[in-house]
Amino acid sequence: MKKVTENFGKMVFDDRVMKATLSAKVYASVKKTIDEGAELDLAVANAVATAMKDWAVANGATHYTHWFQPLTGITAEKHDSFISPSPDGGVIMEFSGKELIKGEPDASSFPSGGLRATFEARGYTAWDPTSYAFIKGTTLCIPTAFCSYGGEALDKKTPLLRSMEALNKQAIRILRLFGNKDVKYVRTSVGPEQEYFLVDKEMYDKRPDLIYTGRTLFGSKPPKGQEMDDHYFGVIKPRVAAFMEELNDELWKLGILAKTEHNEVAPAQHELAPIYATTNIATDHNQLTMEIMQKVASRHGLVCLLHEKPFAGVNGSGKHNNWSMTTDTGVNLLTPGETPYENAQFLLLLCAVIKAVDDYQDLLRISVATAGNDHRLGANEAPPAVVSMFLGDELSAILEAIETDTPYLAAKKTKMKLGVDVLPKFTRDTTDRNRTSPFAFTGNKFEFRALGSSNSIACVNIMLNAAVAESLKIYADRLEGAEDFSTALHEMIKKTIKDHKRIIFNGNGYDDSWIEEATKKRGLLNYRTTADCMPHLLDKKNVDMLTAHHIYTKAELQARMEIMLENYCKTIIIEATTMVDMVKKDILPAVSGYVYDLAKTAKTKLEVDSSITCGYEKSTIKKLSELTDRISVEVETLEDIVVKIADYDDICEEAYAIRDNLLSQMSILRLACDEAETMCSKKYWPYPSYGDLLFGVR
Ligand code: ADP
Ligand code: MG
């Protein structure tokens, strides 16, 4: 293998390249823009554009694109070449500062939820200098934000950057209160762990459900699933190892810090964890990672499934969003400090997160809501749809001691008054291996585990940043005006614990009794499906908070709610129509064909010897014929429901109808077909089985 250190970031126009290719003055100016958001003048942009183009061309690029993340959830790009005619009949390679800063793609084919009137089809993309440009294939990709001409965000990056700014503003206020004058900015850092499945391409090609919907809509249980737990951290098979090696190579060239890879719980399931980065860069990198996983897989005759639940009865794939707040001076603010004063600051920040998660459970649930993820949340493998927090025993005990003004035993019976008396020095909690909590404190960061594997991590981090910014704002408002800082601080932490301790749960989140306790005793929200939670995006408290921090406008929120619900409806309708297609074109004819052959066999047997009973043939013919009759009735019912759903005008009503009528009918149809699969000869069954798919890669 090539030397990793030589190749790392080779295809990225990063700080090293900028330093080497820009004049000192231009470099300083760009750096100021990156670090402090200072405006960039055109002369500087021109200089950067030229350097970027020269570097890109030297590295084999012929085209450039403004790379952005529209509300489809994936990335978009439109390639323009650098070519410009020269007077002598040849061409020169050109790229201006204007082209770097702003692009004008036709926005009309991207979802806008009504934000972009049809007469204003244009949108514009604006360079995000905080995320480095990179080369993919022969194209220089420039990370950009995507807005309508009216300035409304049509993408996920814009609100993400706004949320980071909101959090930065409030966190700085808090740090100043604790006497910190040096920190210039606070950024949120994220390390997203990515799960995925690898299946054989030849088998994938035989499954219309995987091709059209990304998940299997039919499939009976294989004789062996994940019950032996022999896949998790098991030896990686040679074909998968070759895939991972090439994937790492590609990611490293793009400056993506892919660090850990291992087999996951389900057969054919794997995970990749990167080293954390600033939120917007981590988001860009995660989008790229998912794209490159799929590309590299196809080079190995594999298909990478990023769907949340590709197989029923087998664990689905999620994404763990490890989140913290870090200063420009390199301090992780969620590390419990060494001294009491640091501890008090840590406890306040911890409380800010507790309050945020409790006050905005709904926004966190909404931020992971998709049709695919609805199959996972609460299915005894992923965290439940109820949002709660795990803090571990030590932190929980400390909070309890503060709340009740009782001594914290480990601290030699010192009564704690924050910032005044000596606080216990607390060590990194080692009981952080609760895997069932949706939102766990893991020593120096929080891990939000409810994301689906195909989710962009942007939405989760927008909501998290926003909600924490809101807590911090409330704290800062109160503390800045306080007569006695220490007393006010102590009272506020106490109040937060009292008001919000219901969100803290250190037990088993997969337990049914927890859901009962959470909803009935603690009054926590339990939005089971996307249809249940999404309309609450527009609840007054959510709109008020998100608009107050300038993260979304009301119109942007309305648009997003509609797009997300439309997405939910479309996804499930495509699944339903795919089922109809598979049943009518493949499954029914296949089973009928098998029955016909059985009947022919029986007839021939009887001709040979009329005393043969043909028990096997007869009973199978009978059972399968009953099943095909049932299947043909159920498939008609499914078709009728799909037709009726097309009549709804209101997107919420449509989503409710899908949740209540369509999904259950899909299950009924599937059940009958899966039963037929168990009885049908493998030779006749039109699709590779679960066993083939899950154990087919060697
Ligand atoms: P594990 O959970 O297996 O012990 P780690 O704690 O080392 O593993 O990290 C898991 C993920 O959390 C990695 O992607 C890592 O980069 C990320 N991570 C670690 N520290 C931080 C941090 N301060 N902010 C955000 N993510 C972090
Ligand atoms: Mg994890």
Side-chain angles (χ1 to χ4, degrees), residues 193 271 320-322 433 435 447 449:
E193 300 164 67
E271 183 189 283
H320 291 175
N321 192 77
N322 294 275
R433 283 294 163 252
R435 291 277 165 212
E447 184 170 359
R449 300 181 174 135

Side-chain angles (χ1 to χ4, degrees), residues 41 46 55 98 160 179 217 271 281 283 298 327 368 380 459 502 546 548 554 589 596 618 675:
D41 68 55
N46 277 327
W55 166 82
K98 254 202 188 130
L160 181 63
L217 300 168
E271 183 189 283
I281 293 170
T283 305
S298 76
T327 67
V368 298
N380 270 3
C459 298
R502 64 171 187 162
L546 290 165
K554 174 120 197 250
Y596 174 75
K618 279 188 189 160
E675 198 182 331

Side-chain angles (χ1 to χ4, degrees), residues 104 134 268 274 399 526 530-531 600 628 639 674 698:
E104 296 191 8
F134 56 91
L399 295 188
N526 185 16
T530 302
K600 247 187 6 194
T628 44
E639 272 189 294
D674 288 356
R698 272 175 210 100

